[in-house]
Amino acid sequence: MEKLYYDNQYEKTFTAEVLEVIEKNNEFHIKLNKTYFYPEGGGAPSDTGYIEASPITYVYEENDNIYHVSSIKPIKIHRVKCSIDWKKRFDTMQQHLGQHILSACFSKLFNASTIGFHLGESICTIDIDKFFTKEQIDEAENLSNSLILDNINVEFLYPTKSELKKMPIKKISPKINEQIRIVKIGDIDFNPCCGIHPKSTIEVQLIKILKWEKYKNSTRIHFLCGERAIKESLKKYIFSTEICSLLKCSEAEAIAQIQKQRDELNKILAENRLIKDKISNYEIKDILEESEKISGITVVKKTCSSESLKYINTLATKLTAFNDVITLFAVKDQDKANLIFSCSKNINFISMNSLLKDAISLIDGKGGGSNFSAQGGGKNTNNLDSTLDYAFIKIKNTLNENK
């Protein structure tokens, strides 16, 4: 079988003969007499595309043969037209060469080695065996993009063992009689690699580091190359432009404006909490006076729709801080009904947990808690008032029985 993807990595279409079709697990593994489809390997995913009308979703190498996997069996076997998904192929080439450039820059600047690489569908990562500051990360990114613009020629070499020994390669352990393929980027990088790459650094277009983090004893760097990096940069430009438009300021002033507005918002929220706290104190007095008293126990029964759950929880806590108080709150929150049942610590003859679990079935809900506080939610908002009435009657009966 002729493996032609190294001969011309830019070939998008070709004609071949089908030599064999093997069916496995409802898929067809197609062997051609020659192929430009790149099989998975070298840290890169396989090509995808078509053999006639059969979509090729995966390509792999086994026993020196390359198989093209499709869910549809090819109808023709002679002179089949094959096409490679060029957008995916070129994206892979850009990411892979970009990784070589970025790794070479970290090596040149900080004598750091790449110990891991992942070429993902949306983001790529490399693991570098040292830790870095933001300034060092920026320096490596800037040097990488400078090398891209230098339009450095990329060569693919197949050296003899004696030639290999003379090359500045840090780690290599070739198998006996195995031909090693070296990717050479000018004088900045010599690396054994079986992947496919563009012929020049200029085709990588752009390298953009998104973030970095400590990973075990190394630094994991997330980055994009080529069209991915350009789209990401454009997206961030649009985002920053919209932010500046909303704030009516320049990019240089945006951060200061955001920090100022954040501080003002935190101040307003703090003031709002104090006001709500004062209002709740007045509300507590009114609620206690207006609520029904049964056998010396004040039973608060209230359905709320405009207050938040957090506020009602605070209200229930403040009310039950007094002795001899039971609160039955229901809160309507859009399409959900919430129950909050609480009682004072000196009330030990009725469990709020048991009461809630009994009543909440009326709103098709679930919940629970302790003897003194329980809450939960359900979807049936129509039954909310009836649910509170049911709980109130149970409390009234219990209190009358405990006279």
Side-chain angles (χ1 to χ4, degrees), residues 157-207:
L157 310 175
Y158 296 88
T160 62
K161 287 188 177 181
S162 59
E163 290 172 332
L164 193 61
K165 290 178 182 178
K166 298 175 184 178
M167 291 182 176
I169 300 171
K170 290 184 178 181
K171 292 182 180 179
I172 187 166
S173 54
K175 297 177 183 177
I176 298 173
N177 299 323
E178 183 184 66
Q179 178 64 67
I180 300 299
R181 181 174 184 265
I182 300 296
V183 176
K184 178 179 180 292
I185 308 173
D187 295 324
I188 65 166
D189 190 46
F190 291 78
N191 239 303
C193 183
C194 61
I196 48 177
H197 312 75
K199 290 182 178 179
S200 169
T201 59
I202 198 72
E203 294 185 60
V204 177
Q205 296 178 294
L206 177 68
I207 292 176

Short mmCIF file of all heavy atoms in Angstrom, two decimals, residues 157-207:
data_model
loop_
_atom_site.label_atom_id
_atom_site.label_comp_id
_atom_site.label_asym_id
_atom_site.label_seq_id
_atom_site.Cartn_x
_atom_site.Cartn_y
_atom_site.Cartn_z
N LEU A 157 13.03 15.18 7.39
CA LEU A 157 14.25 14.44 7.11
C LEU A 157 14.14 12.99 7.56
O LEU A 157 13.42 12.67 8.51
CB LEU A 157 15.43 15.10 7.84
CG LEU A 157 15.59 16.62 7.65
CD1 LEU A 157 16.72 17.14 8.53
CD2 LEU A 157 15.83 16.96 6.19
N TYR A 158 14.88 12.13 6.86
CA TYR A 158 14.96 10.72 7.21
C TYR A 158 16.43 10.36 7.35
O TYR A 158 17.04 9.74 6.48
CB TYR A 158 14.29 9.85 6.14
CG TYR A 158 12.79 10.10 6.01
CD1 TYR A 158 12.31 11.10 5.17
CD2 TYR A 158 11.89 9.35 6.75
CE1 TYR A 158 10.95 11.36 5.07
CE2 TYR A 158 10.51 9.59 6.65
CZ TYR A 158 10.05 10.59 5.81
OH TYR A 158 8.71 10.83 5.71
N PRO A 159 17.05 10.78 8.45
CA PRO A 159 18.51 10.62 8.60
C PRO A 159 18.92 9.18 8.88
O PRO A 159 18.14 8.37 9.39
CB PRO A 159 18.82 11.51 9.80
CG PRO A 159 17.56 11.49 10.61
CD PRO A 159 16.44 11.43 9.62
N THR A 160 20.17 8.89 8.53
CA THR A 160 20.75 7.61 8.92
C THR A 160 21.07 7.68 10.42
O THR A 160 21.01 8.75 11.03
CB THR A 160 22.05 7.35 8.13
OG1 THR A 160 23.00 8.39 8.48
CG2 THR A 160 21.80 7.36 6.64
N LYS A 161 21.44 6.56 10.99
CA LYS A 161 21.75 6.54 12.43
C LYS A 161 22.93 7.45 12.76
O LYS A 161 22.96 8.12 13.80
CB LYS A 161 22.01 5.12 12.90
CG LYS A 161 20.74 4.28 12.98
CD LYS A 161 21.00 2.94 13.64
CE LYS A 161 19.70 2.14 13.77
NZ LYS A 161 19.91 0.84 14.43
N SER A 162 23.90 7.48 11.88
CA SER A 162 25.07 8.33 12.13
C SER A 162 24.70 9.81 12.00
O SER A 162 25.18 10.64 12.77
CB SER A 162 26.20 7.98 11.13
OG SER A 162 25.74 8.17 9.80
N GLU A 163 23.84 10.14 11.03
CA GLU A 163 23.37 11.53 10.90
C GLU A 163 22.51 11.93 12.09
O GLU A 163 22.56 13.08 12.55
CB GLU A 163 22.57 11.67 9.59
CG GLU A 163 23.41 11.58 8.33
CD GLU A 163 22.57 11.54 7.07
OE1 GLU A 163 21.41 11.06 7.14
OE2 GLU A 163 23.07 11.97 6.01
N LEU A 164 21.74 10.98 12.58
CA LEU A 164 20.85 11.24 13.71
C LEU A 164 21.63 11.62 14.96
O LEU A 164 21.23 12.50 15.72
CB LEU A 164 19.98 9.99 13.97
CG LEU A 164 18.78 10.14 14.89
CD1 LEU A 164 17.79 11.15 14.32
CD2 LEU A 164 18.10 8.80 15.09
N LYS A 165 22.77 10.97 15.16
CA LYS A 165 23.58 11.23 16.34
C LYS A 165 24.14 12.65 16.36
O LYS A 165 24.43 13.20 17.42
CB LYS A 165 24.73 10.22 16.41
CG LYS A 165 24.28 8.80 16.73
CD LYS A 165 25.46 7.84 16.74
CE LYS A 165 24.99 6.40 17.03
NZ LYS A 165 26.12 5.44 16.99
N LYS A 166 24.27 13.25 15.18
CA LYS A 166 24.85 14.59 15.08
C LYS A 166 23.80 15.69 15.27
O LYS A 166 24.14 16.87 15.38
CB LYS A 166 25.53 14.77 13.72
CG LYS A 166 26.69 13.81 13.49
CD LYS A 166 27.24 13.95 12.08
CE LYS A 166 28.33 12.93 11.80
NZ LYS A 166 28.83 13.04 10.40
N MET A 167 22.53 15.29 15.28
CA MET A 167 21.47 16.29 15.40
C MET A 167 21.21 16.65 16.85
O MET A 167 21.32 15.80 17.73
CB MET A 167 20.18 15.75 14.76
CG MET A 167 20.27 15.61 13.26
SD MET A 167 18.71 15.03 12.54
CE MET A 167 19.10 15.09 10.80
N PRO A 168 20.85 17.92 17.13
CA PRO A 168 20.61 18.37 18.52
C PRO A 168 19.25 17.91 19.05
O PRO A 168 18.36 18.72 19.30
CB PRO A 168 20.68 19.88 18.39
CG PRO A 168 20.21 20.16 17.00
CD PRO A 168 20.71 19.02 16.16
N ILE A 169 19.11 16.61 19.21
CA ILE A 169 17.86 16.05 19.71
C ILE A 169 18.10 15.53 21.11
O ILE A 169 19.03 14.75 21.34
CB ILE A 169 17.36 14.91 18.79
CG1 ILE A 169 17.12 15.45 17.38
CG2 ILE A 169 16.08 14.29 19.33
CD1 ILE A 169 16.84 14.38 16.36
N LYS A 170 17.26 15.97 22.06
CA LYS A 170 17.49 15.64 23.47
C LYS A 170 17.20 14.18 23.78
O LYS A 170 17.97 13.48 24.41
CB LYS A 170 16.62 16.54 24.36
CG LYS A 170 17.09 17.98 24.38
CD LYS A 170 16.27 18.80 25.36
CE LYS A 170 16.75 20.24 25.42
NZ LYS A 170 15.98 21.06 26.38
N LYS A 171 16.04 13.70 23.35
CA LYS A 171 15.63 12.35 23.71
C LYS A 171 15.13 11.60 22.49
O LYS A 171 14.25 12.07 21.79
CB LYS A 171 14.51 12.37 24.76
CG LYS A 171 14.95 12.87 26.12
CD LYS A 171 13.81 12.81 27.12
CE LYS A 171 14.25 13.31 28.49
NZ LYS A 171 13.14 13.27 29.46
N ILE A 172 15.70 10.45 22.25
CA ILE A 172 15.22 9.60 21.17
C ILE A 172 15.71 8.18 21.41
O ILE A 172 16.85 7.95 21.80
CB ILE A 172 15.70 10.12 19.80
CG1 ILE A 172 15.05 9.34 18.68
CG2 ILE A 172 17.21 10.08 19.67
CD1 ILE A 172 15.19 9.97 17.33
N SER A 173 14.84 7.23 21.24
CA SER A 173 15.21 5.82 21.43
C SER A 173 14.61 5.00 20.29
O SER A 173 13.63 4.30 20.46
CB SER A 173 14.70 5.30 22.78
OG SER A 173 13.31 5.52 22.88
N PRO A 174 15.19 5.11 19.10
CA PRO A 174 14.64 4.41 17.95
C PRO A 174 14.76 2.90 18.07
O PRO A 174 15.71 2.38 18.65
CB PRO A 174 15.50 4.92 16.79
CG PRO A 174 16.79 5.33 17.43
CD PRO A 174 16.42 5.84 18.78
N LYS A 175 13.76 2.21 17.53
CA LYS A 175 13.82 0.75 17.50
C LYS A 175 14.85 0.31 16.46
O LYS A 175 15.19 1.05 15.55
CB LYS A 175 12.44 0.18 17.16
CG LYS A 175 11.36 0.52 18.18
CD LYS A 175 10.03 -0.02 17.72
CE LYS A 175 8.93 0.39 18.70
NZ LYS A 175 7.59 -0.06 18.25
N ILE A 176 15.28 -0.90 16.57
CA ILE A 176 16.28 -1.42 15.65
C ILE A 176 15.71 -1.41 14.23
O ILE A 176 14.59 -1.87 13.99
CB ILE A 176 16.69 -2.85 16.05
CG1 ILE A 176 17.32 -2.82 17.45
CG2 ILE A 176 17.64 -3.46 15.03
CD1 ILE A 176 17.61 -4.18 18.01
N ASN A 177 16.50 -0.89 13.30
CA ASN A 177 16.15 -0.85 11.87
C ASN A 177 14.91 0.00 11.57
O ASN A 177 14.35 -0.10 10.48
CB ASN A 177 15.92 -2.27 11.32
CG ASN A 177 17.16 -3.13 11.45
OD1 ASN A 177 18.27 -2.63 11.26
ND2 ASN A 177 16.99 -4.40 11.76
N GLU A 178 14.45 0.82 12.51
CA GLU A 178 13.30 1.68 12.25
C GLU A 178 13.77 3.02 11.71
O GLU A 178 14.69 3.63 12.23
CB GLU A 178 12.50 1.90 13.53
CG GLU A 178 11.25 2.73 13.32
CD GLU A 178 10.53 3.01 14.62
OE1 GLU A 178 11.10 3.74 15.46
OE2 GLU A 178 9.41 2.51 14.80
N GLN A 179 13.15 3.46 10.61
CA GLN A 179 13.49 4.76 10.03
C GLN A 179 12.81 5.87 10.83
O GLN A 179 11.60 5.86 11.02
CB GLN A 179 13.03 4.82 8.57
CG GLN A 179 13.30 6.15 7.89
CD GLN A 179 14.78 6.45 7.75
OE1 GLN A 179 15.50 5.77 7.02
NE2 GLN A 179 15.26 7.47 8.47
N ILE A 180 13.62 6.82 11.30
CA ILE A 180 13.10 7.92 12.09
C ILE A 180 12.86 9.13 11.19
O ILE A 180 13.71 9.49 10.36
CB ILE A 180 14.09 8.30 13.22
CG1 ILE A 180 14.31 7.10 14.14
CG2 ILE A 180 13.56 9.49 14.02
CD1 ILE A 180 13.08 6.60 14.83
N ARG A 181 11.70 9.75 11.35
CA ARG A 181 11.35 10.95 10.59
C ARG A 181 11.55 12.17 11.49
O ARG A 181 11.00 12.23 12.59
CB ARG A 181 9.91 10.88 10.11
CG ARG A 181 9.43 12.06 9.28
CD ARG A 181 8.03 11.76 8.77
NE ARG A 181 7.50 12.80 7.89
CZ ARG A 181 6.73 13.80 8.26
NH1 ARG A 181 6.37 13.92 9.54
NH2 ARG A 181 6.30 14.69 7.39
N ILE A 182 12.34 13.12 11.02
CA ILE A 182 12.66 14.31 11.80
C ILE A 182 11.98 15.53 11.18
O ILE A 182 12.07 15.75 9.96
CB ILE A 182 14.18 14.56 11.87
CG1 ILE A 182 14.89 13.37 12.52
CG2 ILE A 182 14.50 15.85 12.62
CD1 ILE A 182 14.53 13.13 13.97
N VAL A 183 11.30 16.31 12.01
CA VAL A 183 10.74 17.58 11.57
C VAL A 183 11.73 18.67 11.99
O VAL A 183 12.03 18.84 13.17
CB VAL A 183 9.36 17.84 12.21
CG1 VAL A 183 8.85 19.22 11.82
CG2 VAL A 183 8.36 16.78 11.78
N LYS A 184 12.25 19.39 10.99
CA LYS A 184 13.27 20.42 11.22
C LYS A 184 12.69 21.80 10.87
O LYS A 184 12.26 22.02 9.74
CB LYS A 184 14.50 20.14 10.36
CG LYS A 184 15.61 21.17 10.48
CD LYS A 184 16.79 20.76 9.60
CE LYS A 184 17.94 21.77 9.68
NZ LYS A 184 17.62 23.06 9.07
N ILE A 185 12.68 22.70 11.86
CA ILE A 185 12.20 24.06 11.64
C ILE A 185 13.41 24.98 11.71
O ILE A 185 13.82 25.42 12.79
CB ILE A 185 11.15 24.46 12.70
CG1 ILE A 185 10.04 23.41 12.79
CG2 ILE A 185 10.57 25.83 12.38
CD1 ILE A 185 9.07 23.64 13.93
N GLY A 186 13.98 25.27 10.56
CA GLY A 186 15.19 26.09 10.52
C GLY A 186 16.25 25.52 11.45
O GLY A 186 16.55 24.33 11.42
N ASP A 187 16.77 26.39 12.31
CA ASP A 187 17.75 25.94 13.30
C ASP A 187 17.16 25.94 14.71
O ASP A 187 17.89 25.78 15.69
CB ASP A 187 18.98 26.87 13.28
CG ASP A 187 19.72 26.77 11.96
OD1 ASP A 187 19.78 25.65 11.40
OD2 ASP A 187 20.23 27.81 11.49
N ILE A 188 15.82 26.14 14.81
CA ILE A 188 15.24 26.27 16.15
C ILE A 188 14.67 24.97 16.71
O ILE A 188 14.48 24.84 17.90
CB ILE A 188 14.14 27.35 16.17
CG1 ILE A 188 12.95 26.91 15.30
CG2 ILE A 188 14.66 28.69 15.74
CD1 ILE A 188 11.71 27.74 15.52
N ASP A 189 14.40 24.01 15.82
CA ASP A 189 13.78 22.78 16.33
C ASP A 189 14.11 21.58 15.46
O ASP A 189 13.96 21.63 14.23
CB ASP A 189 12.26 22.96 16.40
CG ASP A 189 11.58 21.82 17.15
OD1 ASP A 189 12.07 21.45 18.24
OD2 ASP A 189 10.58 21.30 16.65
N PHE A 190 14.57 20.53 16.11
CA PHE A 190 14.77 19.22 15.48
C PHE A 190 13.98 18.22 16.33
O PHE A 190 14.32 18.02 17.49
CB PHE A 190 16.24 18.81 15.47
CG PHE A 190 17.11 19.64 14.55
CD1 PHE A 190 17.52 20.91 14.92
CD2 PHE A 190 17.51 19.13 13.33
CE1 PHE A 190 18.33 21.67 14.09
CE2 PHE A 190 18.33 19.88 12.49
CZ PHE A 190 18.73 21.15 12.87
N ASN A 191 12.97 17.61 15.75
CA ASN A 191 12.14 16.73 16.57
C ASN A 191 11.68 15.51 15.79
O ASN A 191 11.20 15.64 14.67
CB ASN A 191 10.90 17.49 17.06
CG ASN A 191 10.83 17.52 18.57
OD1 ASN A 191 10.83 16.47 19.20
ND2 ASN A 191 10.76 18.71 19.13
N PRO A 192 11.83 14.31 16.40
CA PRO A 192 11.25 13.13 15.74
C PRO A 192 9.73 13.21 15.80
O PRO A 192 9.16 13.41 16.87
CB PRO A 192 11.78 11.97 16.58
CG PRO A 192 12.12 12.56 17.90
CD PRO A 192 12.50 13.98 17.65
N CYS A 193 9.06 13.10 14.67
CA CYS A 193 7.61 13.23 14.64
C CYS A 193 7.06 12.61 13.36
O CYS A 193 7.58 12.87 12.27
CB CYS A 193 7.20 14.70 14.73
SG CYS A 193 5.42 14.95 14.77
N CYS A 194 6.00 11.83 13.49
CA CYS A 194 5.39 11.20 12.32
C CYS A 194 4.12 11.92 11.88
O CYS A 194 3.36 11.43 11.05
CB CYS A 194 5.10 9.73 12.59
SG CYS A 194 3.95 9.45 13.94
N GLY A 195 3.86 13.11 12.47
CA GLY A 195 2.68 13.87 12.09
C GLY A 195 2.89 14.63 10.79
O GLY A 195 3.97 14.63 10.20
N ILE A 196 1.83 15.30 10.33
CA ILE A 196 1.91 16.10 9.11
C ILE A 196 1.82 17.58 9.48
O ILE A 196 1.08 17.97 10.38
CB ILE A 196 0.82 15.72 8.09
CG1 ILE A 196 -0.55 15.64 8.76
CG2 ILE A 196 1.16 14.42 7.40
CD1 ILE A 196 -1.68 15.34 7.82
N HIS A 197 2.63 18.40 8.76
CA HIS A 197 2.76 19.80 9.12
C HIS A 197 2.82 20.65 7.85
O HIS A 197 3.15 20.16 6.78
CB HIS A 197 4.05 20.05 9.91
CG HIS A 197 4.27 19.09 11.04
ND1 HIS A 197 4.67 17.79 10.85
CD2 HIS A 197 4.13 19.24 12.39
CE1 HIS A 197 4.78 17.18 12.02
NE2 HIS A 197 4.46 18.05 12.97
N PRO A 198 2.55 21.96 7.98
CA PRO A 198 2.76 22.86 6.84
C PRO A 198 4.24 22.95 6.49
O PRO A 198 5.11 22.56 7.26
CB PRO A 198 2.23 24.20 7.35
CG PRO A 198 1.39 23.87 8.54
CD PRO A 198 1.98 22.66 9.14
N LYS A 199 4.53 23.53 5.31
CA LYS A 199 5.91 23.63 4.84
C LYS A 199 6.62 24.87 5.37
O LYS A 199 7.83 25.01 5.17
CB LYS A 199 5.95 23.63 3.31
CG LYS A 199 5.58 22.30 2.68
CD LYS A 199 5.69 22.38 1.16
CE LYS A 199 5.36 21.03 0.52
NZ LYS A 199 5.43 21.10 -0.96
N SER A 200 5.87 25.77 6.01
CA SER A 200 6.49 26.99 6.51
C SER A 200 5.79 27.45 7.78
O SER A 200 4.59 27.23 7.96
CB SER A 200 6.41 28.10 5.45
OG SER A 200 6.77 29.35 6.00
N THR A 201 6.53 28.12 8.63
CA THR A 201 5.95 28.62 9.89
C THR A 201 4.86 29.65 9.63
O THR A 201 3.93 29.78 10.42
CB THR A 201 7.03 29.25 10.78
OG1 THR A 201 7.66 30.33 10.08
CG2 THR A 201 8.08 28.21 11.17
N ILE A 202 4.95 30.40 8.50
CA ILE A 202 3.97 31.45 8.22
C ILE A 202 2.55 30.91 8.13
O ILE A 202 1.57 31.60 8.38
CB ILE A 202 4.33 32.22 6.92
CG1 ILE A 202 3.60 33.57 6.85
CG2 ILE A 202 4.05 31.38 5.69
CD1 ILE A 202 4.11 34.60 7.79
N GLU A 203 2.42 29.62 7.77
CA GLU A 203 1.10 29.01 7.61
C GLU A 203 0.41 28.75 8.95
O GLU A 203 -0.79 28.49 8.99
CB GLU A 203 1.21 27.72 6.80
CG GLU A 203 1.64 27.94 5.36
CD GLU A 203 1.61 26.66 4.56
OE1 GLU A 203 0.54 26.05 4.43
OE2 GLU A 203 2.68 26.26 4.05
N VAL A 204 1.16 28.81 10.04
CA VAL A 204 0.55 28.67 11.38
C VAL A 204 -0.26 29.93 11.71
O VAL A 204 -1.21 29.88 12.49
CB VAL A 204 1.62 28.40 12.45
CG1 VAL A 204 1.01 28.33 13.84
CG2 VAL A 204 2.35 27.09 12.14
N GLN A 205 0.11 31.05 11.11
CA GLN A 205 -0.59 32.33 11.22
C GLN A 205 -0.46 33.00 12.59
O GLN A 205 -0.03 34.14 12.70
CB GLN A 205 -2.09 32.17 10.88
CG GLN A 205 -2.36 31.75 9.44
CD GLN A 205 -3.84 31.57 9.20
OE1 GLN A 205 -4.46 30.68 9.76
NE2 GLN A 205 -4.41 32.41 8.35
N LEU A 206 -0.87 32.30 13.66
CA LEU A 206 -0.88 32.93 14.99
C LEU A 206 -0.91 31.85 16.06
O LEU A 206 -1.54 30.81 15.88
CB LEU A 206 -2.12 33.81 15.12
CG LEU A 206 -2.37 34.51 16.47
CD1 LEU A 206 -1.32 35.58 16.72
CD2 LEU A 206 -3.77 35.13 16.51
N ILE A 207 -0.19 32.10 17.15
CA ILE A 207 -0.26 31.25 18.33
C ILE A 207 -0.77 32.11 19.49
O ILE A 207 -0.26 33.20 19.74
CB ILE A 207 1.11 30.65 18.70
CG1 ILE A 207 1.54 29.63 17.63
CG2 ILE A 207 1.07 29.97 20.08
CD1 ILE A 207 2.93 29.05 17.85
#
